[in-house]
Amino acid sequence: KLKLLGCDVASFGDAKESEDTSALVWNDPVGRVYRKLVFDKTQGTLLGGILVGDADDYSPLLALQKSGAPVESPALLLAPPSAATQPAAAEDDEDPAAQICSCNDVSRGAIAAACQDLGASATYGDLKA
């Protein structure tokens, strides 16, 4: 998940289409939001996606993709949170498996463990190492 020139951009999993997949696309040029979610046709699982302009639901979509659970109503996942009439569900701030950095596959739990191991005097550089 990135913020590129003030625009949220995120991708996860495998967002390439094939004969074994179905893709749902949301393209809102007025709201400057593009989303593509790719599902396995047979199993109904979320395989990947691309989110541009509104990536507020990146974490729950990534968790759903990683779980491999079938999605009963894929279309309900397509609309961005900014299009909802009610706010998006809050993320679980206590979930140690929540991903903080997808580039390096760093979880909230890994950061907490490193902080505990290194102690209160640890610097940012110590944590990065």
Side-chain angles (χ1 to χ4, degrees):
K1 183 175 175 183
L2 304 169
K3 190 161 205 107
L4 183 63
L5 300 173
C7 180
D8 283 335
V9 179
S11 68
F12 59 93
D14 186 357
K16 289 181 273 179
E17 295 178 61
S18 73
E19 61 186 39
D20 299 324
T21 65
S22 295
L24 295 176
V25 175
W26 175 287
N27 187 13
D28 178 2
V30 174
R32 302 181 71 171
V33 175
Y34 173 85
R35 298 164 66 86
K36 177 174 137 180
L37 300 177
V38 178
F39 298 87
D40 181 279
K41 281 184 182 178
T42 308
Q43 303 198 357
T45 56
L46 177 60
L47 299 175
I50 300 169
L51 312 172
V52 179
D54 184 344
D56 286 348
D57 57 346
Y58 167 77
S59 292
L61 288 171
L62 176 65
L64 180 60
Q65 180 263 325
K66 285 186 169 189
S67 77
V71 178
E72 289 186 33
S73 302
L76 295 178
L77 299 175
L78 188 58
S82 60
T85 56
Q86 40 188 326
E91 288 185 42
D92 181 2
D93 289 338
E94 301 299 318
D95 181 7
Q99 190 171 48
I100 302 299
C101 175
S102 60
C103 298
N104 293 306
D105 196 25
V106 177
S107 69
R108 180 176 282 121
I111 292 173
C115 288
Q116 185 154 4
D117 290 347
L118 294 171
S121 63
T123 66
Y124 175 71
D126 295 336
L127 286 172
K128 266 185 86 174

